[in-house]
Amino acid sequence: MVQQLNQFIQRWMPVLTPLSLVMGVLLENIGGHLLFLVPILFAGMTFISSLNLKFRDIKVFKEYPKTILFIIAFLHILMPLWAFFLAETIFDDRLLSIGFLLSVAVPTGVTSVIWVTISKGNLPLCLAIILIDTLLAPILMPVTLHFVVGESIQLETTSLILDLVWMIVLPSIFGMLISEWTKGKLQEKLGQPLSLISKLCLFSIIMINSSAIAPYVKTINGELAAVISLVLFVAISGYTFSLILARLFWKSSADQATFVFNAGMRNIAVGVVIATTYFPSKVAMPVVFGMLFQQVLASVFYKIIQRH
């Protein structure tokens, strides 16, 4: 039953994700009282995801140092600047610009493993990128935010770093220690139930945090439509840029697929947590909407990769 439910959720992620967002908006009064649960849920989700990682994945860096550094630069420099530039050009609202910056300055998505595996990509490289980028997140995210918007908005950098360590680094290290100690047997025995719990944590995070943007999305207007449209455009351009760069710099189709999905996907849930914790609620708008298109675009670009 657990396996069937897992497969059902995986298949309907593009529908269940926006549905969770809508439910969070409709139940904003309830969600507002549950915000304290979000860091705990995210830490649990990170722990479960890290059970697939191993410390030896870092050794892959010796084989692909340029590739890994280039992807990290793409994730945390090129795309954030691109998103911030577009938002500054289109909107006369610094909060929205910060939201767009934050939506793509987060670490690469753990779910990229699924698409890299399906597309027969370089799985060891993919896992190394996820691990290294995740561990560097407490440094890279605050630096990016401070460099771009530090002068225009007060940012509690120390608290932000500590929260990222608590939500990402410590659960990841703990999960990898458990994986090494059990030699991967825990994941083999409880993989399906843990995967289901992880998905339910994700939906809960979306629902709870959606309550923060409820005042902005209850009224359909031109600004809301523009925000959603630009979120979609930024996501498409991220995949497109990564596909073009992959074709230019890597001959191996496996490495190309790995670059596309690691560079195109994001751990957007952490961005939602940071947006609702450290910024006015309007900053969370582009971040939350970023969850709507990620899986759908991944499937589209998977088909493009396969076709060519």
Side-chain angles (χ1 to χ4, degrees):
M1 183 184 293
V2 172
Q3 184 177 357
Q4 290 177 341
L5 185 56
N6 241 329
Q7 292 174 347
F8 173 82
I9 293 176
Q10 187 68 43
R11 188 181 307 116
W12 291 97
M13 280 284 281
V15 176
L16 294 174
T17 301
L19 184 61
S20 300
L21 191 154
V22 171
M23 290 181 64
V25 171
L26 295 176
L27 302 174
E28 62 173 309
N29 294 328
I30 298 175
H33 296 295
L34 299 176
L35 286 172
F36 71 95
L37 290 175
V38 173
I40 300 172
L41 291 170
F42 189 84
M45 191 171 67
T46 304
F47 167 75
I48 293 171
S49 300
S50 64
L51 291 172
N52 293 311
L53 304 175
K54 296 179 177 60
F55 287 105
R56 63 173 176 267
D57 291 331
I58 297 178
K59 294 180 180 179
V60 178
F61 182 81
K62 295 180 180 179
E63 299 178 43
Y64 303 94
K66 294 180 180 179
T67 300
I68 293 175
L69 290 174
F70 186 72
I71 288 181
I72 290 176
F74 182 87
L75 288 167
H76 298 284
I77 299 176
L78 299 179
M79 283 306 298
L81 290 177
W82 171 242
F84 186 78
F85 166 75
L86 290 175
E88 283 284 278
T89 303
I90 295 173
F91 300 103
D92 185 22
D93 191 327
R94 180 50 62 93
L95 293 180
L96 287 178
S97 298
I98 295 172
F100 277 97
L101 169 70
L102 185 58
S103 68
V104 292
V106 293
T108 184
V110 176
T111 51
S112 58
V113 171
I114 298 171
W115 293 101
V116 170
T117 302
I118 294 173
S119 58
K120 298 179 181 178
N122 188 333
L123 189 58
L125 174 59
C126 173
L127 293 172
I129 293 167
I130 293 171
L131 177 56
I132 293 171
D133 194 36
T134 298
L135 295 178
L136 289 176
I139 300 172
L140 296 176
M141 282 187 65
V143 167
T144 302
L145 287 167
H146 183 75
F147 179 76
V148 179
V149 300
E151 295 182 0
S152 61
I153 192 165
Q154 190 68 28
L155 182 63
E156 298 178 22
T157 307
T158 304
S159 298
L160 174 59
I161 292 173
L162 291 175
D163 273 353
L164 287 169
V165 169
W166 148 247
M167 289 190 300
I168 297 180
V169 177
L170 292 182
S172 296
I173 293 175
F174 186 51
M176 288 186 287
L177 287 172
I178 295 293
S179 179
E180 297 282 1
W181 181 50
T182 62
K183 297 181 179 179
K185 291 182 180 179
L186 179 65
Q187 182 66 12
E188 291 178 10
K189 292 182 179 180
L190 301 176
Q192 289 292 335
L194 289 174
S195 178
L196 179 59
I197 292 172
S198 180
K199 292 181 178 68
L200 294 177
C201 284
L202 176 60
F203 293 138
S204 299
I205 290 171
I206 296 172
M207 287 176 61
I208 294 172
N209 281 319
S210 295
S211 62
I213 66 168
Y216 300 102
V217 300
K218 281 188 172 181
T219 303
I220 304 298
N221 54 34
E223 182 182 67
L224 178 61
V227 168
I228 296 175
S229 299
L230 186 57
V231 167
L232 177 59
F233 179 77
V234 170
I236 292 174
S237 63
Y239 274 105
T240 304
F241 292 157
S242 61
L243 181 61
I244 294 171
L245 292 171
R247 295 280 168 81
L248 287 175
F249 294 110
W250 288 276
K251 295 181 180 180
S252 166
S253 59
D255 290 347
Q256 289 178 7
T258 303
F259 183 86
V260 169
F261 290 114
N262 276 123
M265 303 197 77
R266 294 292 190 281
N267 194 345
I268 300 178
V270 69
V272 175
V273 177
I274 297 304
T276 54
T277 304
Y278 289 95
F279 298 97
S281 54
K282 196 171 187 179
V283 172
M285 281 180 66
V287 190
V288 172
F289 289 131
M291 294 182 171
L292 299 178
F293 309 112
Q294 187 156 253
Q295 296 298 327
V296 175
L297 290 176
S299 64
V300 170
F301 277 83
Y302 164 72
K303 293 178 180 177
I304 293 173
I305 291 172
Q306 293 300 303
R307 188 174 301 160
H308 300 283

